[in-house]
Amino acid sequence: MKSVRILRGKINYLLLLSLTIFSLASCSTDPSSSDGKGILGEKISEESKGKIKLISFEKTNAIKKSMFGQEQYTLEYSATIEFQQEGWVGENFNNFQIRDKKSEGWDEYFLSISNGNSKHFNIGDKVKLTGKMTFEKTEKGWRPTSLIVYSNR
C-alpha cells in the first residue's frame, strides 16, 4: 500500500513537472527564426510573384527592449535567395520585383534612388542577404513592423 502511494506521488510529480515545462515552452513569446523566415519568404514570394525563392534563413542575433512601455524585438538574419526566372532586380533588394528588361532613362534613375542600380540575374543564381526585422508586442502576440535588407553578398 505504501509503495502505491509513493508511486502515485512520483507520477503526480512527473505529470506536474511535464505540464510546467510544456507551459513554459509554449509561453515562449519572442519571435522565432521560423517567424522571421515566414515573413521574409512571404514578402519575397509576393513581390517577385514566385520568381525568387527563399532557400535558407538563419536568425543571427536578437535584441529585446522596451521603449516608452512598448516592447520591441529586433531579429537580425542572414538568408539566401535563388532566382527561379531570369530578370533585372535592384541591387539593394528593397523590393523583390523582377523586370524582364533593364529600365532606361528616368525610370532607371528613379528606381536606382530607392533600390540601387539594376542588376541582371540568371535562373539558379543565388544571393546572400542580411538584414533585420522589428516586431512590437500586442495583446495577441508579436506583430512585425519593419523589414530591412542591409546587403546582398
Side-chain angles (χ1 to χ4, degrees), residues 5-148:
R5 275 187 268 168
I6 292 172
L7 185 58
R8 258 193 216 149
K10 285 184 179 181
I11 290 173
N12 288 340
Y13 174 76
L14 289 174
L15 182 61
L16 181 63
L17 182 62
S18 297
L19 288 173
T20 302
I21 290 170
F22 177 76
S23 298
L24 290 174
S26 64
C27 289
S28 174
T29 57
D30 295 342
S32 67
S33 183
S34 62
D35 293 330
K37 182 179 182 178
I39 290 166
L40 182 60
E42 185 176 318
K43 177 181 173 63
I44 292 169
S45 180
E46 282 180 12
E47 291 180 0
S48 74
K49 297 180 177 31
K51 298 173 185 174
I52 302 174
K53 183 179 176 183
L54 177 64
I55 58 172
S56 73
F57 183 93
E58 180 183 355
K59 176 178 161 182
T60 57
N61 202 3
I63 303 166
K64 188 175 181 179
K65 63 184 174 183
S66 182
M67 186 178 293
F68 305 113
Q70 175 65 56
E71 287 187 62
Q72 293 181 339
Y73 188 89
T74 301
L75 183 148
E76 297 174 359
Y77 66 88
S78 67
T80 304
I81 58 173
E82 181 178 44
F83 285 78
Q84 308 296 301
Q85 181 177 319
E86 176 182 14
W88 294 86
V89 178
E91 65 185 351
N92 293 342
F93 289 97
N94 289 333
N95 69 58
F96 295 91
Q97 296 172 351
I98 293 184
R99 297 181 303 284
D100 292 334
K101 62 180 185 171
K102 183 176 181 177
S103 302
E104 297 176 354
W106 286 107
D107 286 341
E108 179 62 19
Y109 173 73
F110 288 117
L111 284 170
S112 70
I113 290 173
S114 65
N115 207 24
N117 294 323
S118 292
K119 188 171 179 182
H120 183 264
F121 293 94
N122 292 309
I123 295 172
D125 282 352
K126 295 178 183 172
V127 177
K128 290 189 180 246
L129 305 173
T130 61
K132 69 179 180 178
M133 54 186 72
T134 303
F135 299 81
E136 66 182 5
K137 190 161 190 178
T138 70
E139 289 180 352
K140 296 182 179 181
W142 291 96
R143 174 177 45 206
T145 57
S146 71
L147 172 61
I148 298 170

